[in-house]
Amino acid sequence: MSSGRISSWTRFKLPAKSLGPHLFKPLAAGNNDRLHDAYYGSIAEANDEHMLVVIWESREDFAAYKDSAQYHELISNLKADTTSTEPSTHIVDFDKIAFWWRFGPNTEIRTVYFPALIPSKTRDAVTRLKGLVLTMGIGIDGSKAHFSPYNGVPTCGWAEGSQIWMNQDTVACLWCHYWKDREVEEKFKLTETRPPRDGEEDKILILEAFERDLKSCGALGWEDIHVDFKKVPKSA
């Protein structure tokens, strides 16, 4: 069962120089009881594209906000002008996982697409995957945390509704990986291996293993972005 909290993920396009907490004043105004937290940041792989993630106290709180004047003001702020493409928002349910706690300057978001009629048992199997974390390397007392390339274990949430990918209806999940920086991420993906499982002759790269696991669950494909997340002040 979900904790009741729900997250909205809004992708929008603005000149990078225009990005700042001032854009989100309509979000902060009068909504402190509705929203738990909010984060924003630029997408490294897309020029002038950004992401706003809001954690709402409940599904009803998000629905009420969408009917408010502040919501329309916020959407207007996230457009360069009246001819700009509308910001795109998806609701993602991470159940009881506080996925936003480790948002930072090199958060990787992998959106994985599956056939629209994916059974619930397959969803559960995908959620149980471990992502790219092989070992945390922190020791029993956490004294070796600085050796780890990431700030915590990955998290997985499911987007609600259908998603169009490669001209077909799909459903999608989002995997969040919390890398300390791009250099250690790239080194990890190029060198870290997973011990062989039954039927495997040799160790394989952990990245390849994760992608094999996704495909075995029926994944059609995925897209990766990196976001430099910053917290939206409650009084933006």
Side-chain angles (χ1 to χ4, degrees):
M1 295 293 291
S2 173
S3 65
R5 287 184 181 145
I6 207 76
S7 62
S8 60
W9 294 62
T10 301
R11 185 165 176 164
F12 60 99
K13 187 168 185 176
L14 278 177
K17 63 181 181 182
S18 301
L19 187 66
H22 63 283
L23 295 173
F24 312 111
K25 286 184 178 179
L27 181 63
N31 287 296
N32 286 341
D33 292 336
R34 288 178 174 168
L35 65 88
H36 182 79
D37 250 329
Y39 293 81
Y40 73 99
S42 296
I43 299 172
E45 291 82 359
N47 290 335
D48 294 335
E49 289 195 50
H50 320 283
M51 187 73 72
L52 169 66
V53 180
V54 184
I55 300 90
W56 301 92
E57 291 293 356
S58 71
R59 196 178 303 271
E60 292 75 19
D61 285 325
F62 172 70
Y65 181 68
K66 282 196 70 176
D67 287 336
S68 70
Q70 290 97 335
Y71 171 78
H72 296 287
E73 184 180 351
L74 172 66
I75 295 302
S76 178
N77 285 357
L78 303 185
K79 296 172 61 177
D81 53 53
T82 56
T83 63
S84 299
T85 303
E86 287 287 328
S88 173
T89 298
H90 299 290
I91 300 303
V92 184
D93 188 355
F94 283 81
D95 197 17
K96 298 178 181 180
I97 300 172
F99 67 92
W100 63 93
W101 284 2
R102 296 179 179 88
F103 272 180
N106 193 46
T107 302
E108 180 186 24
I109 309 297
R110 168 167 288 196
T111 303
V112 187
Y113 299 94
F114 294 86
L117 299 179
I118 181 175
S120 58
K121 66 178 182 180
T122 302
R123 286 178 180 248
D124 293 340
V126 172
T127 305
R128 287 195 299 269
L129 297 177
K130 297 184 180 300
L132 294 180
V133 168
L134 184 60
T135 60
M136 287 300 294
I138 60 175
I140 295 175
D141 60 356
S143 61
K144 297 181 180 180
H146 57 286
F147 291 121
S148 173
Y150 24 68
N151 292 314
V153 297
T155 56
C156 177
W158 286 89
E160 297 187 351
S162 62
Q163 314 285 323
I164 300 298
W165 184 78
M166 302 293 286
N167 297 317
Q168 59 185 312
D169 287 332
T170 68
V171 295
C173 67
L174 271 64
W175 277 89
C176 302
H177 285 85
Y178 311 97
W179 303 104
K180 288 183 176 177
D181 58 55
R182 186 61 68 91
E183 182 178 354
V184 297
E185 174 193 353
E186 291 179 351
K187 180 179 179 181
F188 180 90
K189 289 180 176 179
L190 290 172
T191 60
E192 195 71 31
T193 59
R194 186 194 70 186
R197 294 177 178 173
D198 291 344
E200 294 177 347
E201 295 182 0
D202 301 305
K203 292 182 178 181
I204 62 173
L205 288 174
I206 187 64
L207 176 61
E208 181 182 349
F210 178 45
E211 294 179 347
R212 280 187 187 182
D213 290 342
L214 290 173
K215 289 180 179 178
S216 72
C217 290
L220 302 171
W222 45 80
E223 297 172 333
D224 296 332
I225 61 173
H226 292 77
V227 182
D228 178 13
F229 276 119
K230 302 176 181 66
K231 192 169 184 176
V232 176
K234 287 293 180 71
S235 57

